Amino acid sequence: MIKAGIIGDGYTAAELLRILAGHDQVEVAAILSTENVGRRLDEIYPHLTGFCHLKCEESKVENLIGRCQVVFLALPHGLSVNIALTLLEHGIKCVDLGADFRLKDVSLYRKYYELEHGAPEMLERAVYGIPEIYREDIRKTDLVANPGCFPTSAILPLVPLLKEGIIKGEGIVIDSKTGVSGAGRTAKPASHFCEVNEGIKAYGVGTHRHGPEIKQELSLAWGKTVDMIFTPHLVPMNRGILSTSYAQLNPGSNPTTVREVLEDWYGNEYFVRVLPPGTMPHTKWVYGSNFLDLGIYTDPDSGRVILVSALDNLTKGASGQAVQNMNLMLGLDESKSLRWAGVHP
Amino acid sequence: MIKAGIIGDGYTAAELLRILAGHDQVEVAAILSTENVGRRLDEIYPHLTGFCHLKCEESKVENLIGRCQVVFLALPHGLSVNIALTLLEHGIKCVDLGADFRLKDVSLYRKYYELEHGAPEMLERAVYGIPEIYREDIRKTDLVANPGCFPTSAILPLVPLLKEGIIKGEGIVIDSKTGVSGAGRTAKPASHFCEVNEGIKAYGVGTHRHGPEIKQELSLAWGKTVDMIFTPHLVPMNRGILSTSYAQLNPGSNPTTVREVLEDWYGNEYFVRVLPPGTMPHTKWVYGSNFLDLGIYTDPDSGRVILVSALDNLTKGASGQAVQNMNLMLGLDESKSLRWAGVHP
Amino acid sequence: MIKAGIIGDGYTAAELLRILAGHDQVEVAAILSTENVGRRLDEIYPHLTGFCHLKCEESKVENLIGRCQVVFLALPHGLSVNIALTLLEHGIKCVDLGADFRLKDVSLYRKYYELEHGAPEMLERAVYGIPEIYREDIRKTDLVANPGCFPTSAILPLVPLLKEGIIKGEGIVIDSKTGVSGAGRTAKPASHFCEVNEGIKAYGVGTHRHGPEIKQELSLAWGKTVDMIFTPHLVPMNRGILSTSYAQLNPGSNPTTVREVLEDWYGNEYFVRVLPPGTMPHTKWVYGSNFLDLGIYTDPDSGRVILVSALDNLTKGASGQAVQNMNLMLGLDESKSLRWAGVHP
Amino acid sequence: MIKAGIIGDGYTAAELLRILAGHDQVEVAAILSTENVGRRLDEIYPHLTGFCHLKCEESKVENLIGRCQVVFLALPHGLSVNIALTLLEHGIKCVDLGADFRLKDVSLYRKYYELEHGAPEMLERAVYGIPEIYREDIRKTDLVANPGCFPTSAILPLVPLLKEGIIKGEGIVIDSKTGVSGAGRTAKPASHFCEVNEGIKAYGVGTHRHGPEIKQELSLAWGKTVDMIFTPHLVPMNRGILSTSYAQLNPGSNPTTVREVLEDWYGNEYFVRVLPPGTMPHTKWVYGSNFLDLGIYTDPDSGRVILVSALDNLTKGASGQAVQNMNLMLGLDESKSLRWAGVHP
C-alpha cells in the first residue's frame, strides 16, 4: 500500500479519510493537527468509526517524512508554502487543498490574500489541479494546487466554450450558490445554524477570493483577460454548489455548436456528466459524489448561453478532486475509490 | 368595518387572513373555495386558530356580492377574468393576485400562459400594483394586478436606475432564488420535501412566466425594450426571494450616483429599506414582513452594478403587497396592519 | 409610555424588541450589552431596522436606574442575582429570563449550575412566571423568574392532570425536541449549521438543567416528589419545541376526564389552545407566536396518556411569556402586543 | 454474476440500485414499475446516471422468472403476497421490503392493515430479517420479511436487555423521530416541503402500524407480551431515524450490566456500533450508511435505562438491511457492498 499523509483536521480532511477508506492501493498513515493532537479521528468524526484508527499527531512536517509518499495539505492559506517545500525536497508528492499555489500572478495573491508569497518561484511549478483540463501535467508533477470549489464549478463549463471561440470573453456573469460546509468547520457567527437556516444571502460581492482564480483560468482559455463578475451566495444546505454562468455567443455559434463542443470535451470524462437538452442539474444528484453535472441552455434569439453546473463542494470541489489528482500523480486509475453514485434523497 | 372577500384557499389566501387579522378597519367577511367548501379555515390552517372563524363557501361570485366592498382573487391564471368583470360591475374593488391582468400585451399572455385572454380591453384599465411606482394610479383604480413575487424583487431595484439613465437597458441579468411556498400548496413531486431539501436547482430556465412581466416594467422605465435574462432557482426554505441583478453603468454614472438615485427614490418609502454601503440583504431579515431590503455594489473599474434584493414572497411578494394596494384603493393608511418586523431567527 | 430596559443582546433580547415594538403602553428605553457597546441594535439585528433606534450601552445597572420602570434580564445564569437586587431596591420590577430564580431549592441550584447562589432568600420572593398557573402571584410581585423553554412546554400539559389526580406522579417520561435558537446566539461547534442540519440527536441525557425545574413544578402540583425523566433532542429548525409527555392514568380516570380537565383549565386561556380530538400539534402552527398548542391521546386499554405540546421557544418559551408576565406586573392587559397568529408556512 | 430483480420504483428501489451498483457478485437485471414503464431509471433518478442503464418494465411477475435468482419486493402492503408465492414456486428467493410478511399474527395484520391476508400459512415460513438476531434463519430461508425502519431502530437496542432479563417488559416507551423519506416518494400534502420544513410534529399517535411489529419482536424476546407504547415524529430532514427508548431495570441489574450485555451482543457485529459511555448518537453519523449507532444511559438512582439509537431509514432501515439479508441468503459475505462510512457533514 502507498502511504498518504494529511495535514489538517477540518471537513476536507474528514472527507479525504472517508474517500480513501475505500482505496485499495493507498492508505492514510498519518494525520497532523494543531488543535486535536492525541485525539482519535473517529472521536472527532464519529461517522468514521470503523474506518480510521489514527490519532492526530503534532503538526510538524517531520512527522510525515519517511512515512508517506504523498501528502494532502488542508490548511488555511499562507501555511502551505514552507511545508510543501520541505516535503518536495524529501521527494514527497503534494496536493495542496489550500490557496497558496493556485494563482500564478503573485501580485494577485498579495492583493486578495494580503500576504507576501513565501516562494513565488514555485507558482509556475505547481499544476492547477483540474484533471479534465490539465491531466497530462498533473501526471508529471509532484505539486498540485487543488482548485477552489467555486472555480471548479465555473471553469469546467466555460473553458471549452472560450477555448473554441464559441462565446465572448466579455460580459460573463457567474452567479454561484454554495452549501455551508465550504466555509469550514470552525464555529463562526456566520455559520451558526440560526443565521443560515431558512434564508439566503449574497456574500463577498465583488471581492471573493475565488474571483481572480476563475478569471485566471478563463483568461488562459480565451487567450486574453476576460471580463467577468462572480457572486457567491450562501444556501441553507450542508453540501453542494450550483453555478449559473451567463455568456454571449460569438457570431457563427448557435445552440448546436455550444452543446457539441461541451459533449465533445466531456463525452469521455467519467466525472463530468453533460445532461440532455431540457434537463438542468440539481446539487442533490451529486451529493457525496465526485461528479459535476452540467445543464445547457442557449437562447437562439438573444444569443445568450446559460450554463448551470452542480457539484459537491467537499468532493469534486475539494477532497474528491484531490484524490483524483493523487491517483494521476501516482500513476493509478484516476477514478479509483471515487466510483460511487450520489446519495439521494 | 369594511368587508373584504377572498377567492381561493392556498398559501396567499392564508397569508391574507394572517395579515388582515390585525387590521382595524377591514375584516374578511367571506372566503370562497373549490376543494374545501364547508370546512373551517382554522381547520385547514391551524395557525389561524383564534383569528378566523369563517368557513369556506362555494366558489360562486354571487356569494360575495352585497357582502364585500373589496375582493382578493387568489386563483390560478385564466380564472380571474370573468370573476373580476362581475365584481367590478357590482362596484366591488378587486386585487388580483394571479397573473391575468399583469401583462399589457395580450400576445405575450397568449404565448406564456397558453390561453386566449377573456377581456383584453381590461388590461389597460388594470393598474400594475407596485405602490412605490404606481401609487397614484392605484389610489384611483378599482382593479389592481398584484405583481408576481420575482418581478417585485427585480423591478423595484432596477426601475429607478433605468428611468434616470444610470444603467444600460442591454445585457441585464437577473438571477433569482426563491423558497418553496412560491410554488403553492398543491402537492407535486417537485415540492416534495425530499426533492427540495439539501439541494438547489435552476428551473424554468429561459421560459419562466415572470420573465415577460419583468421585461414589460423595465422596458416601460427605460423607454424602449430592454435586453434582459431572468433565471429562477429553488432554495430549500419556506419563504423568501433573493434576486441578484447585474447591469452596466452608463457613461457619466458611478457608484455615488447609483446609490443617490436609489436612496432618493426610496428614502421615504416605509417598505423599501436601502441598506448602507457594505451591507447585503438576507431573506431572513424580512421573513414574514412586508419589507424589501436592497443592497448595492458598484465596481468602479468595470462599471458593473450588482443589486441584491430580498423580500418575503408571501408578503411583499404577494399578500402583503395586496393589502398595501387595498389600503391605497380604500383611501386608508398604506401601511395599515403591515407595520411589523421580520421574524428572526 | 412606561419605560422598559433590557440587559443582554442575544436572541431573547432581540425577540423582546420585536414584540415590544408593537406595544402601545411600553417602550424600550435602554439596552445593555457587554460585547456590543455603542453598536446600534438594528446593525446587530437588521430585521429590526425601522423598529429600534437604540444603541447598546455598557452593562452597568446604573444605566437603567431612573430610566426604567421594568427590566428584563437576559443573562447567563449566575449574573442576574446582584443586578436584580439592585434594581428591586430602586423600585424597578424585574423579569429574569435566566435561571437564577427558578429553582426554590438552593441545593439543586448548586448541583445543576455549579454555583453558590448569591441571595437564596430571594428564591421564595421570586414568582415562577407561568401566568396560566401563577397569574395572581405574578400580578403582585416585582420579581418574576421567567421559566425555561422546555419546562413551559411540559408543565402546562401535566400540572392540571397531576393536581386533579388524573394521572400518577410515577413513571412520567418527557421527551422533548427543540430548535437551535434555544441554545443562544453564541457560535459553538454544536450550533454550526453543518453539525445540526440533516440530523437529530439527544443531548444532556439524564443531566439537563431543565429537568429539576420541571420536577419542582410537577411535584408542587402533585403534592409530593414526582418520578420523572426528561430527555431533550436537537432538531434542525430555528424555532420550536415539541414535548411528548407520557403518563399513566389513575384508577377512575379515563380519556374523557383527561380531556375535560385540560379543557376546563385552559378553555378561557388566550395563549393555550387545546386541540380537538384526533389533532396533534405542529410547531409550525405556533411559529413566531405566543401560543402553546396541546394535543391529547389517551389509550383506554393501557391507561396511557400521551400529551403533545408545541410552542415557540423564543416567544411562549422565553420573551413572549416574559412580556405576558410584564403586562400582568404592570396591571396591563395580559395579551397586549402578543395577539398575532403564527407565521405559516 | 448473480441476477437480482426489483419490483417497485420508489425511494427504497433507488437505494437498492445505489447500493448494488458497488456489488461485485450481484447485479440488477430487471426492475418493474407501474407508473414508469419504459422510462430509464437514471431519468427518474439522475443521481444514478452512469450506474444503471435499465428501463422500467411492466409490473408482471413473469418478467422476472428465468432472469433473476433473487427479487426485492418494494411494494405497498397487500401487493407482495401473490407475487412472492409465484416467485418462490419458481425457486426465486424473495426479500419483501413491504409489510406483508412481518406480523406473525394474521389478526393483527387484519386490524392494522385492514386487509385479509392472502396466504397466512406463509407467515411462519417468512423470516423476520434482522441479521443480528435471526442470522442463521435468514441463511436458510428463501423468504425474508425485511423489517420496518422504526422497528429496526427499536428492536436492536431492546431485545438483548429483554432476553437477558435486564429490563422489565412493562412500561416501555419508544419515542421515535424520522426523516421524510420514510413516507415514500409519492407527493402528498403531508410531505410538501412547506408543511415539513421548520417544524416537528407527532403523527400516528397510538395507532402507527410499526407498533405491533415492535411489540411482536420485543414480546418474543421477553417471553411474554410486553407493555409498550410507540410514538413516531416527523423531523425536517431527508434521512435518519432516532429512537429514544425508555425502560426500567430489573432488580439485580445496574448500569454496568446494561452496557455489558449490549457490548457482548454487538461487539462483533459490523453494522451495530455501541458508542462509548457519555456519547449519544447523531443520525448524521450514519447518513447514507448501513450502521446502527447505539448510545446508553442508565440512571442508577431511578433505575431508568435510556437507549438512543440512530440509523438511516433507507439503508439499515430498509434497502441496506435488505442487501444484508440477500447476502446471507445467497451465502455471500454479509457486508458485501455495504462497507462504507456515512456522509458527514
Side-chain angles (χ1 to χ4, degrees), chain C residues 4-23:
Chain C
I6 297 172
I7 313 180
D9 61 3
Y11 284 149
T12 52
E15 188 74 347
L16 284 168
L17 289 165
R18 181 175 79 90
I19 294 169
L20 291 170
H23 206 297

PDB file of all heavy atoms in Angstrom, chain C residues 4-23:
ATOM      1  N   ALA C   4     -39.094  50.469  29.626  1.00  0.00           N
ATOM      2  CA  ALA C   4     -38.505  49.172  29.958  1.00  0.00           C
ATOM      3  C   ALA C   4     -37.027  49.160  29.592  1.00  0.00           C
ATOM      4  O   ALA C   4     -36.607  49.837  28.660  1.00  0.00           O
ATOM      5  CB  ALA C   4     -39.226  48.055  29.215  1.00  0.00           C
ATOM      6  N   GLY C   5     -36.260  48.368  30.320  1.00  0.00           N
ATOM      7  CA  GLY C   5     -34.860  48.145  29.994  1.00  0.00           C
ATOM      8  C   GLY C   5     -34.616  46.679  29.714  1.00  0.00           C
ATOM      9  O   GLY C   5     -35.369  45.811  30.166  1.00  0.00           O
ATOM     10  N   ILE C   6     -33.568  46.417  28.945  1.00  0.00           N
ATOM     11  CA  ILE C   6     -33.179  45.039  28.643  1.00  0.00           C
ATOM     12  C   ILE C   6     -31.692  44.910  28.929  1.00  0.00           C
ATOM     13  O   ILE C   6     -30.904  45.769  28.521  1.00  0.00           O
ATOM     14  CB  ILE C   6     -33.462  44.691  27.161  1.00  0.00           C
ATOM     15  CG1 ILE C   6     -34.969  44.773  26.866  1.00  0.00           C
ATOM     16  CG2 ILE C   6     -32.918  43.315  26.810  1.00  0.00           C
ATOM     17  CD1 ILE C   6     -35.321  44.627  25.389  1.00  0.00           C
ATOM     18  N   ILE C   7     -31.329  43.860  29.663  1.00  0.00           N
ATOM     19  CA  ILE C   7     -29.897  43.581  29.849  1.00  0.00           C
ATOM     20  C   ILE C   7     -29.563  42.319  29.076  1.00  0.00           C
ATOM     21  O   ILE C   7     -30.094  41.243  29.363  1.00  0.00           O
ATOM     22  CB  ILE C   7     -29.536  43.406  31.336  1.00  0.00           C
ATOM     23  CG1 ILE C   7     -30.152  44.545  32.173  1.00  0.00           C
ATOM     24  CG2 ILE C   7     -28.011  43.380  31.508  1.00  0.00           C
ATOM     25  CD1 ILE C   7     -29.830  44.446  33.657  1.00  0.00           C
ATOM     26  N   GLY C   8     -28.690  42.456  28.096  1.00  0.00           N
ATOM     27  CA  GLY C   8     -28.355  41.327  27.231  1.00  0.00           C
ATOM     28  C   GLY C   8     -28.707  41.669  25.795  1.00  0.00           C
ATOM     29  O   GLY C   8     -29.593  42.497  25.545  1.00  0.00           O
ATOM     30  N   ASP C   9     -28.014  41.039  24.849  1.00  0.00           N
ATOM     31  CA  ASP C   9     -28.269  41.340  23.437  1.00  0.00           C
ATOM     32  C   ASP C   9     -28.343  40.073  22.586  1.00  0.00           C
ATOM     33  O   ASP C   9     -28.072  40.107  21.391  1.00  0.00           O
ATOM     34  CB  ASP C   9     -27.202  42.291  22.891  1.00  0.00           C
ATOM     35  CG  ASP C   9     -25.812  41.680  22.979  1.00  0.00           C
ATOM     36  OD1 ASP C   9     -25.690  40.513  23.411  1.00  0.00           O
ATOM     37  OD2 ASP C   9     -24.842  42.364  22.624  1.00  0.00           O
ATOM     38  N   GLY C  10     -28.727  38.961  23.205  1.00  0.00           N
ATOM     39  CA  GLY C  10     -28.853  37.706  22.466  1.00  0.00           C
ATOM     40  C   GLY C  10     -30.214  37.574  21.806  1.00  0.00           C
ATOM     41  O   GLY C  10     -30.940  38.559  21.641  1.00  0.00           O
ATOM     42  N   TYR C  11     -30.543  36.362  21.417  1.00  0.00           N
ATOM     43  CA  TYR C  11     -31.796  36.142  20.695  1.00  0.00           C
ATOM     44  C   TYR C  11     -33.031  36.507  21.518  1.00  0.00           C
ATOM     45  O   TYR C  11     -34.009  37.011  20.965  1.00  0.00           O
ATOM     46  CB  TYR C  11     -31.895  34.680  20.256  1.00  0.00           C
ATOM     47  CG  TYR C  11     -31.033  34.324  19.080  1.00  0.00           C
ATOM     48  CD1 TYR C  11     -30.512  33.042  18.940  1.00  0.00           C
ATOM     49  CD2 TYR C  11     -30.744  35.244  18.075  1.00  0.00           C
ATOM     50  CE1 TYR C  11     -29.731  32.690  17.840  1.00  0.00           C
ATOM     51  CE2 TYR C  11     -29.954  34.908  16.975  1.00  0.00           C
ATOM     52  CZ  TYR C  11     -29.466  33.618  16.867  1.00  0.00           C
ATOM     53  OH  TYR C  11     -28.692  33.267  15.790  1.00  0.00           O
ATOM     54  N   THR C  12     -33.014  36.242  22.831  1.00  0.00           N
ATOM     55  CA  THR C  12     -34.223  36.571  23.602  1.00  0.00           C
ATOM     56  C   THR C  12     -34.374  38.089  23.714  1.00  0.00           C
ATOM     57  O   THR C  12     -35.493  38.596  23.739  1.00  0.00           O
ATOM     58  CB  THR C  12     -34.205  35.933  25.000  1.00  0.00           C
ATOM     59  OG1 THR C  12     -32.972  36.262  25.659  1.00  0.00           O
ATOM     60  CG2 THR C  12     -34.322  34.417  24.916  1.00  0.00           C
ATOM     61  N   ALA C  13     -33.256  38.811  23.772  1.00  0.00           N
ATOM     62  CA  ALA C  13     -33.333  40.270  23.776  1.00  0.00           C
ATOM     63  C   ALA C  13     -33.910  40.775  22.454  1.00  0.00           C
ATOM     64  O   ALA C  13     -34.784  41.650  22.422  1.00  0.00           O
ATOM     65  CB  ALA C  13     -31.951  40.868  24.016  1.00  0.00           C
ATOM     66  N   ALA C  14     -33.431  40.222  21.354  1.00  0.00           N
ATOM     67  CA  ALA C  14     -33.943  40.633  20.049  1.00  0.00           C
ATOM     68  C   ALA C  14     -35.438  40.347  19.941  1.00  0.00           C
ATOM     69  O   ALA C  14     -36.200  41.143  19.374  1.00  0.00           O
ATOM     70  CB  ALA C  14     -33.187  39.911  18.931  1.00  0.00           C
ATOM     71  N   GLU C  15     -35.851  39.223  20.510  1.00  0.00           N
ATOM     72  CA  GLU C  15     -37.272  38.866  20.435  1.00  0.00           C
ATOM     73  C   GLU C  15     -38.101  39.802  21.318  1.00  0.00           C
ATOM     74  O   GLU C  15     -39.227  40.178  20.945  1.00  0.00           O
ATOM     75  CB  GLU C  15     -37.443  37.403  20.868  1.00  0.00           C
ATOM     76  CG  GLU C  15     -38.821  36.843  20.650  1.00  0.00           C
ATOM     77  CD  GLU C  15     -39.166  36.549  19.196  1.00  0.00           C
ATOM     78  OE1 GLU C  15     -38.443  36.990  18.288  1.00  0.00           O
ATOM     79  OE2 GLU C  15     -40.195  35.877  18.976  1.00  0.00           O
ATOM     80  N   LEU C  16     -37.571  40.198  22.453  1.00  0.00           N
ATOM     81  CA  LEU C  16     -38.265  41.205  23.272  1.00  0.00           C
ATOM     82  C   LEU C  16     -38.472  42.491  22.472  1.00  0.00           C
ATOM     83  O   LEU C  16     -39.552  43.087  22.482  1.00  0.00           O
ATOM     84  CB  LEU C  16     -37.445  41.517  24.532  1.00  0.00           C
ATOM     85  CG  LEU C  16     -37.473  40.466  25.647  1.00  0.00           C
ATOM     86  CD1 LEU C  16     -36.390  40.762  26.690  1.00  0.00           C
ATOM     87  CD2 LEU C  16     -38.852  40.428  26.326  1.00  0.00           C
ATOM     88  N   LEU C  17     -37.446  42.913  21.763  1.00  0.00           N
ATOM     89  CA  LEU C  17     -37.556  44.133  20.960  1.00  0.00           C
ATOM     90  C   LEU C  17     -38.591  43.983  19.855  1.00  0.00           C
ATOM     91  O   LEU C  17     -39.376  44.895  19.583  1.00  0.00           O
ATOM     92  CB  LEU C  17     -36.193  44.500  20.370  1.00  0.00           C
ATOM     93  CG  LEU C  17     -35.175  45.016  21.391  1.00  0.00           C
ATOM     94  CD1 LEU C  17     -33.777  45.002  20.805  1.00  0.00           C
ATOM     95  CD2 LEU C  17     -35.548  46.424  21.856  1.00  0.00           C
ATOM     96  N   ARG C  18     -38.580  42.843  19.195  1.00  0.00           N
ATOM     97  CA  ARG C  18     -39.566  42.601  18.130  1.00  0.00           C
ATOM     98  C   ARG C  18     -40.984  42.674  18.692  1.00  0.00           C
ATOM     99  O   ARG C  18     -41.874  43.294  18.098  1.00  0.00           O
ATOM    100  CB  ARG C  18     -39.333  41.225  17.491  1.00  0.00           C
ATOM    101  CG  ARG C  18     -40.300  40.901  16.371  1.00  0.00           C
ATOM    102  CD  ARG C  18     -39.997  39.588  15.662  1.00  0.00           C
ATOM    103  NE  ARG C  18     -40.441  38.414  16.367  1.00  0.00           N
ATOM    104  CZ  ARG C  18     -41.655  37.834  16.221  1.00  0.00           C
ATOM    105  NH1 ARG C  18     -42.523  38.347  15.386  1.00  0.00           N
ATOM    106  NH2 ARG C  18     -41.982  36.754  16.901  1.00  0.00           N
ATOM    107  N   ILE C  19     -41.197  42.056  19.854  1.00  0.00           N
ATOM    108  CA  ILE C  19     -42.539  42.025  20.436  1.00  0.00           C
ATOM    109  C   ILE C  19     -42.941  43.414  20.943  1.00  0.00           C
ATOM    110  O   ILE C  19     -44.031  43.905  20.662  1.00  0.00           O
ATOM    111  CB  ILE C  19     -42.596  40.999  21.591  1.00  0.00           C
ATOM    112  CG1 ILE C  19     -42.386  39.587  21.040  1.00  0.00           C
ATOM    113  CG2 ILE C  19     -43.922  41.108  22.345  1.00  0.00           C
ATOM    114  CD1 ILE C  19     -42.161  38.530  22.106  1.00  0.00           C
ATOM    115  N   LEU C  20     -42.032  44.044  21.679  1.00  0.00           N
ATOM    116  CA  LEU C  20     -42.391  45.324  22.298  1.00  0.00           C
ATOM    117  C   LEU C  20     -42.529  46.451  21.275  1.00  0.00           C
ATOM    118  O   LEU C  20     -43.130  47.486  21.561  1.00  0.00           O
ATOM    119  CB  LEU C  20     -41.372  45.682  23.382  1.00  0.00           C
ATOM    120  CG  LEU C  20     -41.447  44.762  24.622  1.00  0.00           C
ATOM    121  CD1 LEU C  20     -40.266  44.994  25.547  1.00  0.00           C
ATOM    122  CD2 LEU C  20     -42.766  44.958  25.376  1.00  0.00           C
ATOM    123  N   ALA C  21     -42.002  46.249  20.067  1.00  0.00           N
ATOM    124  CA  ALA C  21     -42.186  47.254  19.014  1.00  0.00           C
ATOM    125  C   ALA C  21     -43.667  47.501  18.740  1.00  0.00           C
ATOM    126  O   ALA C  21     -44.044  48.566  18.261  1.00  0.00           O
ATOM    127  CB  ALA C  21     -41.484  46.811  17.727  1.00  0.00           C
ATOM    128  N   GLY C  22     -44.509  46.514  19.038  1.00  0.00           N
ATOM    129  CA  GLY C  22     -45.935  46.667  18.795  1.00  0.00           C
ATOM    130  C   GLY C  22     -46.729  47.039  20.037  1.00  0.00           C
ATOM    131  O   GLY C  22     -47.960  47.067  19.994  1.00  0.00           O
ATOM    132  N   HIS C  23     -46.079  47.344  21.122  1.00  0.00           N
ATOM    133  CA  HIS C  23     -46.762  47.638  22.382  1.00  0.00           C
ATOM    134  C   HIS C  23     -47.095  49.130  22.440  1.00  0.00           C
ATOM    135  O   HIS C  23     -46.235  49.961  22.186  1.00  0.00           O
ATOM    136  CB  HIS C  23     -45.854  47.248  23.557  1.00  0.00           C
ATOM    137  CG  HIS C  23     -46.601  46.904  24.808  1.00  0.00           C
ATOM    138  ND1 HIS C  23     -47.382  47.800  25.470  1.00  0.00           N
ATOM    139  CD2 HIS C  23     -46.686  45.743  25.516  1.00  0.00           C
ATOM    140  CE1 HIS C  23     -47.915  47.210  26.539  1.00  0.00           C
ATOM    141  NE2 HIS C  23     -47.514  45.948  26.588  1.00  0.00           N
TER     142      HIS C  23
END
